């Protein structure tokens, strides 16, 4: 029957739970349901049309190349974020939905051929354009910088941006990161991981320096004067961005977020040009104040450094 061609889309709207999960977990569940649904549909075709098994096996090999790393990272993510009982509940719910959606026999063999062709075409899309957004997000969840090095990258330019008067900068951004407007007037654009569902961000911040700061040099001593009392300076490092000397600092800041005391961890890549202070800010959080963000910032540091190293000022 034709609805086997739409089973994966239907699962997205059907996978809901009485228990409340945060946005990233829900995003992960939807992605996991897509992969499970696709595998279940292939198994159904194999049961009803055994002579198609060679073609199905070929399709499954193609899918493993595309989805294997994503599925592995999803399972690891669930182990880190959920309890065993929560994971079991999710799997039971997905299995129940699949049994409902795949309960009727496929009416024509042509529908099975159409489904296999559809799946094969999606697996061969090098830019992942026809795949759910979560596939790319979780494929590189273990090594975020590889999304850019593997070519899944967009280039953001601030040219003609309403918040970038007399400023033009370009940076590479992973395709799975969502561009969002920021509240701070100095923030030209921010990008959030997992299509806006993650707690990792990259911000482009530009400050016009007041006259008394014209000629300032970026070093550990001068940067310390910019920091609030709630901000702890962890380390500094001299860097170069677009052939301009700059400074990288790692800081941890206590903030009030939705009336709760929380914290964020940041790597800020700063340089000066035309009496402006540019800051490419890789950020993790906000999280509870007792959470150790050292591991998380170490995981995303290669990505934040890669973005900063490829940033360019437009002439």
């Amino acid at each position: 029957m034709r609805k086997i061609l739409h089973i994966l889309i239907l699962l997205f709207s059907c996978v809901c739970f009485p228990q409340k999960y945060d946005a990233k977990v829900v995003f992960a569940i939807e992605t996991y349901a897509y992969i499970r649904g696709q595998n279940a549909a292939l198994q159904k075709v194999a049961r009803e049309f055994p002579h198609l098994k060679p073609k199905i096996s070929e399709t499954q090999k193609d899918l493993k190349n595309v989805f294997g790393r994503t599925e592995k990272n999803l399972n690891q993510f669930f182990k880190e974020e959920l309890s065993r009982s929560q994971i079991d509940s999710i799997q039971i719910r997905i299995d129940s939905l699949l049994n409902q959606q795949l309960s009727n026999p496929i009416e024509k063999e042509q529908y099975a051929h159409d489904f296999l062709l559809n799946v094969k075409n999606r697996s061969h899309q090098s830019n992942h354009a026809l795949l759910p957004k979560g596939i790319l997000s979780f494929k590189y969840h273990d090594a975020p910088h590889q999304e850019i090095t593997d070519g899944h990258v967009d280039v953001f330019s601030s040219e003609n941006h309403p918040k970038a008067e007399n400023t033009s900068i370009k940076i590479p951004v992973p395709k799975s990161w969502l561009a969002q407007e920021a509240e701070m007037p100095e923030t030209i654009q921010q990008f959030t991981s997992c299509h806006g569902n993650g707690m990792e961000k990259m911000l482009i911040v530009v400050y016009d320096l007041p006259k008394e700061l014209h000629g300032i040099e970026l070093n550990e001593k001068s940067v310390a004067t910019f920091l609030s009392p709630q901000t702890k300076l962890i380390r500094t490092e001299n860097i170069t961005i677009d052939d301009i000397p700059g400074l990288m600092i790692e800081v941890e800041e206590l903030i009030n977020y939705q009336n709760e005391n929380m914290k964020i961890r940041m790597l800020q890549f700063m340089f000066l040009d035309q009496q402006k202070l540019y800051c490419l800010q890789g950020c993790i959080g906000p999280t509870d104040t007792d959470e150790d963000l050292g591991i998380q910032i170490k995981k995303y540091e290669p990505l934040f450094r890669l973005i900063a190293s490829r940033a360019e000022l437009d002439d």
Side-chain angles (χ1 to χ4, degrees):
M1 56 189 300
R2 282 192 181 273
K3 77 174 183 178
I4 193 172
L5 301 176
H6 308 288
I7 176 64
L8 308 178
I9 297 174
L10 290 174
L11 274 175
F12 284 120
S13 60
C14 292
V15 180
C16 55
F17 298 87
Q19 186 171 359
K20 185 177 180 180
Y21 298 113
D22 66 36
K24 186 174 180 178
V25 172
V26 172
F27 190 55
I29 292 172
E30 292 174 346
T31 307
Y32 182 69
Y34 175 90
I35 295 175
R36 287 283 299 276
Q38 190 164 242
N39 291 338
L42 287 171
Q43 291 170 8
K44 180 178 178 64
V45 172
R47 288 195 303 271
E48 297 191 20
F49 303 98
H51 60 283
L52 294 180
K53 285 185 178 180
K55 184 177 291 187
I56 294 169
S57 296
E58 180 183 342
T59 301
Q60 287 174 327
K61 289 180 181 179
D62 292 337
L63 293 179
K64 187 174 182 180
N65 291 331
V66 178
F67 301 116
R69 181 174 173 182
T70 299
E71 188 171 8
K72 179 182 177 181
N73 286 339
L74 281 168
N75 287 326
Q76 182 61 35
F77 174 75
F78 289 142
K79 289 178 182 178
E80 294 171 356
E81 298 294 326
L82 304 174
S83 66
R84 183 68 255 175
S85 62
Q86 289 174 319
I87 296 173
D88 291 341
S89 175
I90 290 169
Q91 292 176 336
I92 291 171
R93 176 62 174 158
I94 292 175
D95 287 342
S96 175
L97 289 169
L98 287 172
N99 288 334
Q100 293 174 27
Q101 297 292 338
L102 296 174
S103 60
N104 295 320
I106 302 171
E107 294 175 353
K108 296 181 179 179
E109 182 176 334
Q110 184 59 46
Y111 297 162
H113 284 284
D114 291 343
F115 173 72
L116 291 175
L117 180 62
N118 186 284
V119 171
K120 192 174 186 66
N121 287 340
R122 284 198 299 267
S123 70
H124 288 171
Q125 283 290 317
S126 60
N127 63 0
H128 290 62
L130 298 180
L131 298 176
K133 296 175 180 179
I135 297 297
L136 204 56
S137 296
F138 287 98
K139 179 176 182 178
Y140 295 102
H141 195 261
D142 56 333
H145 67 287
Q146 291 179 0
E147 184 171 346
I148 288 182
T149 58
D150 282 356
H152 305 293
V153 59
D154 291 322
V155 176
F156 170 81
S157 173
S158 66
E159 187 177 4
N160 299 322
H161 193 285
K163 295 174 70 176
E165 187 177 357
N166 300 321
T167 301
S168 187
I169 185 172
K170 294 190 297 186
I171 67 167
V173 184
K175 277 190 174 293
S176 69
W177 287 47
L178 180 68
Q180 299 171 310
E181 296 302 319
E183 294 181 2
M184 288 176 53
E186 298 85 2
T187 302
I188 295 175
Q189 193 78 53
Q190 73 177 31
F191 305 88
T192 305
S193 66
C194 285
H195 286 276
N197 296 293
M199 67 172 186
E200 301 81 24
K201 298 180 184 295
M202 173 59 73
L203 288 74
I204 304 175
V205 187
V206 182
Y207 297 96
D208 289 310
L209 292 176
K211 287 186 178 180
E212 59 268 24
L213 292 180
H214 287 188
I216 191 174
E217 294 184 6
L218 292 177
N219 52 49
E220 184 173 338
K221 184 177 179 180
S222 65
V223 166
T225 64
F226 300 157
L227 304 179
S228 70
Q230 293 77 34
T231 303
K232 175 185 177 183
L233 178 61
I234 298 172
R235 61 183 167 121
T236 66
E237 178 186 324
N238 292 324
I239 58 170
T240 300
I241 296 177
D242 198 17
D243 296 325
I244 301 173
L247 189 73
M248 185 278 287
I249 67 172
E250 181 178 352
V251 297
E252 191 163 272
E253 182 178 0
L254 297 176
I255 63 171
N256 185 276
Y257 180 74
Q258 297 181 349
N259 296 320
E260 292 188 26
N261 292 325
M262 306 192 82
K263 70 178 181 181
I264 55 177
R265 189 82 162 254
M266 294 174 283
L267 290 179
Q268 298 179 324
F269 303 84
M270 299 180 289
F271 63 98
L272 299 167
D273 187 71
Q274 302 292 321
Q275 307 305 332
K276 294 179 184 291
L277 172 63
Y278 290 80
C279 180
L280 303 178
Q281 180 174 293
C283 178
I284 309 289
T287 63
D288 294 336
T289 56
D290 60 351
E291 186 168 342
D292 182 4
L293 291 175
I295 296 176
Q296 194 73 352
I297 200 74
K298 184 176 181 180
K299 174 180 174 180
Y300 279 86
E301 181 171 344
L303 173 63
F304 295 154
R305 283 184 178 274
L306 182 61
I307 291 173
S309 70
R310 296 189 182 182
E312 296 179 358
L313 287 178
D314 288 341
D315 297 330

